[in-house]
Amino acid sequence: MNARSLKIALAASVALNLFALAAGATLLVGRADVERRIEAQHRAPRDRSFMTVVEGLDPAVREGVRDTLRASAREARPDFEEARLKRRQATALVRSTNFDPARVSTLLDESRAAELRGRARLEADAVAVLATLEPDDRAALSEILTRRGRTVVRDKGDRKGRAAGPRAGN
């Protein structure tokens, strides 16, 4: 082999190795993405977003359920905002030099009461929607009543990083 043949062979080998490396990286990234999606589908109900639960419904009722529960979430939003505000006020008071334990307790009580009002509204509206559904759809949507805690699911198409859809069980 002459020098030119060796250079061509070396360039071809480098190109082939780079191609193989890129293909391997693509395979690993793609596999991780597929595994993440599969895991997301098999998570416990409390880990799934509201929209994922609703997507499992019969298409004929999906929009009505989504619209009704979104309206319920909009109506409950002031209660949850009040709960967050009261909690922030209590936290600020604890950090200030004017710490007043009685006032902090009152603010926390008001925060809990506002959150419970919001949750009660969401749950009552959810039960009303469930009463209108067929047994299969009702069973699929029943997951919204088992959710606990704050589950925020980021949606790529979502505005300002807010959770995707109302969190009916929160």
Side-chain angles (χ1 to χ4, degrees):
M1 274 192 165
N2 61 19
R4 181 181 170 145
S5 298
L6 283 175
K7 287 180 184 177
I8 292 173
L10 179 62
S13 175
V14 168
L16 186 60
N17 284 332
L18 288 175
F19 177 76
L21 185 63
T26 302
L27 179 67
L28 287 174
V29 169
R31 185 178 198 176
D33 188 45
V34 168
E35 288 175 356
R36 182 183 53 80
R37 287 181 186 177
I38 290 172
E39 180 183 326
Q41 289 177 348
H42 295 302
R43 279 189 198 139
R46 68 184 64 189
D47 292 337
R48 292 180 18 177
S49 74
F50 166 78
M51 296 310 268
T52 303
V53 173
V54 172
E55 291 303 318
L57 294 177
D58 178 21
V61 298
R62 183 181 307 148
E63 286 304 314
V65 167
R66 185 181 296 146
D67 292 344
T68 302
L69 292 178
R70 277 186 178 162
S72 174
R74 277 191 300 274
E75 291 173 10
R77 175 173 274 158
D79 292 324
F80 291 114
E81 288 173 350
E82 178 186 347
R84 285 188 295 273
L85 174 66
K86 298 290 184 180
R87 192 158 297 273
R88 280 193 305 269
Q89 289 173 345
T91 303
L93 189 56
V94 167
R95 291 179 181 155
S96 78
T97 57
N98 300 329
F99 176 66
D100 178 4
R103 179 71 181 136
V104 170
S105 293
T106 300
L107 286 168
L108 292 175
D109 287 342
E110 291 171 358
S111 173
R112 270 191 308 279
E115 183 175 350
L116 288 175
R117 278 193 314 270
R119 286 182 61 137
R121 179 187 309 256
L122 291 175
E123 290 169 354
D125 291 346
V127 170
V129 167
L130 290 168
T132 66
L133 300 176
E134 295 295 320
D136 291 341
D137 290 333
R138 191 171 50 246
L141 193 61
S142 68
E143 293 180 14
I144 66 173
L145 298 177
T146 64
R147 297 175 62 187
R148 295 188 181 169
R150 185 169 185 211
T151 303
V152 177
V153 179
R154 304 289 182 212
D155 185 17
K156 292 180 183 177
D158 164 277
R159 297 175 295 140
K160 298 180 185 176
R162 289 187 208 147
R167 293 178 303 275
N170 289 349

